[in-house]
mmCIF file of all heavy atoms in Angstrom:
data_model
loop_
_atom_site.group_PDB
_atom_site.id
_atom_site.type_symbol
_atom_site.label_atom_id
_atom_site.label_comp_id
_atom_site.label_asym_id
_atom_site.label_seq_id
_atom_site.Cartn_x
_atom_site.Cartn_y
_atom_site.Cartn_z
ATOM 1 N N ILE Q 102 7.517 13.293 18.542
ATOM 2 C CA ILE Q 102 6.366 14.103 18.890
ATOM 3 C C ILE Q 102 6.890 15.210 19.581
ATOM 4 O O ILE Q 102 7.659 15.131 20.525
ATOM 5 C CB ILE Q 102 5.397 13.301 19.690
ATOM 6 C CG1 ILE Q 102 5.121 11.867 19.060
ATOM 7 C CG2 ILE Q 102 4.095 14.110 19.863
ATOM 8 C CD1 ILE Q 102 4.474 11.898 17.691
ATOM 9 N N ILE Q 110 -3.166 8.381 23.893
ATOM 10 C CA ILE Q 110 -2.916 8.573 22.491
ATOM 11 C C ILE Q 110 -3.940 7.856 21.672
ATOM 12 O O ILE Q 110 -4.248 6.683 21.942
ATOM 13 C CB ILE Q 110 -1.510 8.116 22.049
ATOM 14 C CG1 ILE Q 110 -0.348 8.941 22.638
ATOM 15 C CG2 ILE Q 110 -1.286 8.115 20.617
ATOM 16 C CD1 ILE Q 110 0.977 8.494 22.389
ATOM 17 N N PRO Q 127 9.816 2.692 14.207
ATOM 18 C CA PRO Q 127 10.173 3.988 14.635
ATOM 19 C C PRO Q 127 8.916 4.714 15.095
ATOM 20 O O PRO Q 127 8.828 5.510 16.052
ATOM 21 C CB PRO Q 127 10.724 4.718 13.546
ATOM 22 C CG PRO Q 127 11.486 3.597 12.761
ATOM 23 C CD PRO Q 127 10.507 2.421 12.869
ATOM 24 N N ALA Q 128 7.740 4.501 14.429
ATOM 25 C CA ALA Q 128 6.487 5.235 14.767
ATOM 26 C C ALA Q 128 5.979 4.765 16.117
ATOM 27 O O ALA Q 128 5.686 5.597 16.989
ATOM 28 C CB ALA Q 128 5.432 4.965 13.695
ATOM 29 N N LEU Q 129 6.088 3.486 16.345
ATOM 30 C CA LEU Q 129 5.561 3.088 17.658
ATOM 31 C C LEU Q 129 6.614 3.469 18.769
ATOM 32 O O LEU Q 129 6.159 3.756 19.833
ATOM 33 C CB LEU Q 129 5.593 1.489 17.649
ATOM 34 C CG LEU Q 129 4.334 0.938 16.856
ATOM 35 C CD1 LEU Q 129 4.386 -0.571 16.766
ATOM 36 C CD2 LEU Q 129 3.025 1.408 17.423
ATOM 37 N N ASP Q 130 7.895 3.544 18.441
ATOM 38 C CA ASP Q 130 8.850 4.031 19.512
ATOM 39 C C ASP Q 130 8.552 5.476 19.753
ATOM 40 O O ASP Q 130 8.570 5.835 20.868
ATOM 41 C CB ASP Q 130 10.274 3.972 18.824
ATOM 42 C CG ASP Q 130 10.733 2.501 18.660
ATOM 43 O OD1 ASP Q 130 10.211 1.608 19.358
ATOM 44 O OD2 ASP Q 130 11.700 2.342 17.890
ATOM 45 N N HIS Q 131 8.230 6.296 18.862
ATOM 46 C CA HIS Q 131 7.920 7.767 18.990
ATOM 47 C C HIS Q 131 6.654 7.785 19.877
ATOM 48 O O HIS Q 131 6.550 8.708 20.841
ATOM 49 C CB HIS Q 131 7.722 8.487 17.720
ATOM 50 C CG HIS Q 131 8.910 8.478 16.807
ATOM 51 N ND1 HIS Q 131 8.916 8.587 15.590
ATOM 52 C CD2 HIS Q 131 10.224 8.622 17.205
ATOM 53 C CE1 HIS Q 131 10.201 8.626 15.042
ATOM 54 N NE2 HIS Q 131 10.990 8.763 16.061
ATOM 55 N N LEU Q 132 5.613 7.023 19.621
ATOM 56 C CA LEU Q 132 4.373 7.120 20.407
ATOM 57 C C LEU Q 132 4.698 6.672 21.841
ATOM 58 O O LEU Q 132 4.130 7.343 22.736
ATOM 59 C CB LEU Q 132 3.337 6.180 19.778
ATOM 60 C CG LEU Q 132 2.741 6.681 18.365
ATOM 61 C CD1 LEU Q 132 1.797 5.693 17.866
ATOM 62 C CD2 LEU Q 132 2.237 8.124 18.522
ATOM 63 N N TYR Q 133 5.448 5.648 21.991
ATOM 64 C CA TYR Q 133 5.792 5.223 23.421
ATOM 65 C C TYR Q 133 6.499 6.313 24.197
ATOM 66 O O TYR Q 133 6.131 6.507 25.326
ATOM 67 C CB TYR Q 133 6.701 3.982 23.265
ATOM 68 C CG TYR Q 133 7.069 3.402 24.596
ATOM 69 C CD1 TYR Q 133 6.242 2.466 25.239
ATOM 70 C CD2 TYR Q 133 8.256 3.745 25.263
ATOM 71 C CE1 TYR Q 133 6.582 1.921 26.509
ATOM 72 C CE2 TYR Q 133 8.544 3.218 26.417
ATOM 73 C CZ TYR Q 133 7.839 2.281 27.086
ATOM 74 O OH TYR Q 133 8.035 1.844 28.288
ATOM 75 N N ARG Q 134 7.448 7.040 23.519
ATOM 76 C CA ARG Q 134 8.191 8.013 24.283
ATOM 77 C C ARG Q 134 7.259 9.186 24.611
ATOM 78 O O ARG Q 134 7.539 9.953 25.547
ATOM 79 C CB ARG Q 134 9.398 8.410 23.489
ATOM 80 C CG ARG Q 134 10.493 7.483 23.469
ATOM 81 C CD ARG Q 134 11.755 7.979 23.027
ATOM 82 N NE ARG Q 134 11.782 8.208 21.569
ATOM 83 C CZ ARG Q 134 12.215 7.283 20.694
ATOM 84 N NH1 ARG Q 134 12.549 6.000 21.022
ATOM 85 N NH2 ARG Q 134 12.212 7.544 19.392
ATOM 86 N N ALA Q 135 6.169 9.433 23.841
ATOM 87 C CA ALA Q 135 5.309 10.542 24.009
ATOM 88 C C ALA Q 135 4.368 10.293 25.250
ATOM 89 O O ALA Q 135 3.849 11.320 25.779
ATOM 90 C CB ALA Q 135 4.523 10.911 22.801
ATOM 91 N N LEU Q 136 4.146 9.094 25.584
ATOM 92 C CA LEU Q 136 3.213 8.798 26.657
ATOM 93 C C LEU Q 136 3.901 8.968 28.030
ATOM 94 O O LEU Q 136 5.123 8.790 28.244
ATOM 95 C CB LEU Q 136 2.791 7.346 26.576
ATOM 96 C CG LEU Q 136 1.606 7.000 25.653
ATOM 97 C CD1 LEU Q 136 1.359 5.508 25.656
ATOM 98 C CD2 LEU Q 136 0.313 7.714 26.235
ATOM 99 N N LYS Q 137 3.058 9.326 29.056
ATOM 100 C CA LYS Q 137 3.515 9.276 30.433
ATOM 101 C C LYS Q 137 3.562 7.845 30.812
ATOM 102 O O LYS Q 137 2.904 6.897 30.241
ATOM 103 C CB LYS Q 137 2.672 10.082 31.268
ATOM 104 C CG LYS Q 137 1.202 9.512 31.440
ATOM 105 C CD LYS Q 137 0.312 10.466 32.101
ATOM 106 C CE LYS Q 137 0.736 10.855 33.598
ATOM 107 N NZ LYS Q 137 -0.166 11.694 34.238
ATOM 108 N N ASN Q 138 4.354 7.522 31.875
ATOM 109 C CA ASN Q 138 4.268 6.153 32.424
ATOM 110 C C ASN Q 138 2.920 5.847 32.848
ATOM 111 O O ASN Q 138 2.217 6.616 33.564
ATOM 112 C CB ASN Q 138 5.249 6.069 33.587
ATOM 113 C CG ASN Q 138 6.706 6.025 33.122
ATOM 114 O OD1 ASN Q 138 7.043 5.569 32.030
ATOM 115 N ND2 ASN Q 138 7.601 6.398 34.050
ATOM 116 N N ALA Q 142 -2.211 3.965 24.725
ATOM 117 C CA ALA Q 142 -2.324 4.308 23.274
ATOM 118 C C ALA Q 142 -3.346 3.433 22.641
ATOM 119 O O ALA Q 142 -3.345 2.136 22.874
ATOM 120 C CB ALA Q 142 -1.009 4.132 22.472
ATOM 121 N N ALA Q 163 4.954 -3.557 18.837
ATOM 122 C CA ALA Q 163 4.534 -2.778 19.952
ATOM 123 C C ALA Q 163 5.307 -3.195 21.168
ATOM 124 O O ALA Q 163 5.640 -2.359 22.046
ATOM 125 C CB ALA Q 163 3.000 -2.898 20.166
ATOM 126 N N GLU Q 164 5.469 -4.464 21.365
ATOM 127 C CA GLU Q 164 6.151 -4.945 22.516
ATOM 128 C C GLU Q 164 7.687 -4.561 22.509
ATOM 129 O O GLU Q 164 8.306 -4.313 23.483
ATOM 130 C CB GLU Q 164 6.013 -6.474 22.656
ATOM 131 C CG GLU Q 164 4.590 -6.848 23.076
ATOM 132 C CD GLU Q 164 4.251 -8.400 23.025
ATOM 133 O OE1 GLU Q 164 5.113 -9.133 22.462
ATOM 134 O OE2 GLU Q 164 3.185 -8.719 23.434
ATOM 135 N N THR Q 165 8.267 -4.537 21.323
ATOM 136 C CA THR Q 165 9.679 -4.166 21.091
ATOM 137 C C THR Q 165 9.791 -2.738 21.578
ATOM 138 O O THR Q 165 10.750 -2.337 22.125
ATOM 139 C CB THR Q 165 10.122 -4.346 19.656
ATOM 140 O OG1 THR Q 165 10.022 -5.679 19.343
ATOM 141 C CG2 THR Q 165 11.526 -3.797 19.399
ATOM 142 N N ALA Q 166 8.749 -1.858 21.275
ATOM 143 C CA ALA Q 166 8.800 -0.469 21.651
ATOM 144 C C ALA Q 166 8.728 -0.232 23.264
ATOM 145 O O ALA Q 166 9.050 0.769 23.730
ATOM 146 C CB ALA Q 166 7.695 0.255 21.039
ATOM 147 N N GLY Q 167 8.207 -1.351 23.878
ATOM 148 C CA GLY Q 167 8.086 -1.260 25.310
ATOM 149 C C GLY Q 167 6.652 -1.379 25.843
ATOM 150 O O GLY Q 167 6.368 -1.368 27.074
ATOM 151 N N PHE Q 168 5.735 -1.317 24.851
ATOM 152 C CA PHE Q 168 4.358 -1.411 25.310
ATOM 153 C C PHE Q 168 3.877 -2.753 25.841
ATOM 154 O O PHE Q 168 4.404 -3.887 25.361
ATOM 155 C CB PHE Q 168 3.426 -1.143 23.979
ATOM 156 C CG PHE Q 168 3.327 0.326 23.670
ATOM 157 C CD1 PHE Q 168 3.858 0.722 22.431
ATOM 158 C CD2 PHE Q 168 2.681 1.270 24.301
ATOM 159 C CE1 PHE Q 168 3.819 1.955 21.962
ATOM 160 C CE2 PHE Q 168 2.566 2.504 23.929
ATOM 161 C CZ PHE Q 168 3.161 2.947 22.754
ATOM 162 N N VAL Q 169 2.887 -2.751 26.626
ATOM 163 C CA VAL Q 169 2.140 -3.969 26.943
ATOM 164 C C VAL Q 169 0.852 -3.960 26.279
ATOM 165 O O VAL Q 169 0.138 -2.941 26.342
ATOM 166 C CB VAL Q 169 1.905 -4.022 28.500
ATOM 167 C CG1 VAL Q 169 0.990 -5.130 28.867
ATOM 168 C CG2 VAL Q 169 3.163 -4.058 29.335
ATOM 169 N N ARG Q 194 -0.381 -0.066 26.659
ATOM 170 C CA ARG Q 194 -0.034 0.709 27.830
ATOM 171 C C ARG Q 194 1.491 0.771 27.946
ATOM 172 O O ARG Q 194 2.198 -0.187 27.728
ATOM 173 C CB ARG Q 194 -0.597 0.100 29.155
ATOM 174 C CG ARG Q 194 -0.383 1.045 30.349
ATOM 175 C CD ARG Q 194 -0.973 0.439 31.584
ATOM 176 N NE ARG Q 194 -2.397 0.320 31.605
ATOM 177 C CZ ARG Q 194 -3.249 1.245 31.995
ATOM 178 N NH1 ARG Q 194 -2.714 2.445 32.358
ATOM 179 N NH2 ARG Q 194 -4.550 1.084 31.946
ATOM 180 N N ARG Q 195 1.966 2.022 28.314
ATOM 181 C CA ARG Q 195 3.349 2.165 28.642
ATOM 182 C C ARG Q 195 3.382 1.833 30.231
ATOM 183 O O ARG Q 195 2.753 2.567 31.026
ATOM 184 C CB ARG Q 195 3.816 3.572 28.466
ATOM 185 C CG ARG Q 195 5.298 3.830 29.045
ATOM 186 C CD ARG Q 195 5.803 5.254 28.598
ATOM 187 N NE ARG Q 195 7.069 5.426 29.220
ATOM 188 C CZ ARG Q 195 7.940 6.355 28.829
ATOM 189 N NH1 ARG Q 195 7.741 7.190 27.768
ATOM 190 N NH2 ARG Q 195 9.112 6.551 29.573
ATOM 191 N N PRO Q 196 4.105 0.833 30.614
ATOM 192 C CA PRO Q 196 4.072 0.388 31.976
ATOM 193 C C PRO Q 196 4.704 1.555 32.977
ATOM 194 O O PRO Q 196 5.584 2.338 32.602
ATOM 195 C CB PRO Q 196 5.001 -0.858 32.075
ATOM 196 C CG PRO Q 196 5.105 -1.205 30.660
ATOM 197 C CD PRO Q 196 4.990 -0.008 29.838
ATOM 198 N N LYS Q 197 4.213 1.439 34.129
ATOM 199 C CA LYS Q 197 4.827 2.303 35.201
ATOM 200 C C LYS Q 197 6.115 1.655 35.719
ATOM 201 O O LYS Q 197 6.178 0.494 35.786
ATOM 202 C CB LYS Q 197 3.854 2.592 36.334
ATOM 203 C CG LYS Q 197 2.656 3.430 36.081
ATOM 204 C CD LYS Q 197 1.846 3.687 37.279
ATOM 205 C CE LYS Q 197 0.745 4.704 37.042
ATOM 206 N NZ LYS Q 197 -0.063 4.960 38.215
#
Side-chain angles (χ1 to χ4, degrees):
I102 309 300
I110 292 174
L129 290 173
D130 293 341
H131 294 147
L132 294 178
Y133 181 87
R134 288 194 287 269
L136 272 177
K137 68 189 300 184
N138 287 332
E164 290 173 351
T165 296
F168 285 111
V169 173
R194 188 181 293 273
R195 174 172 173 162
K197 289 186 176 181

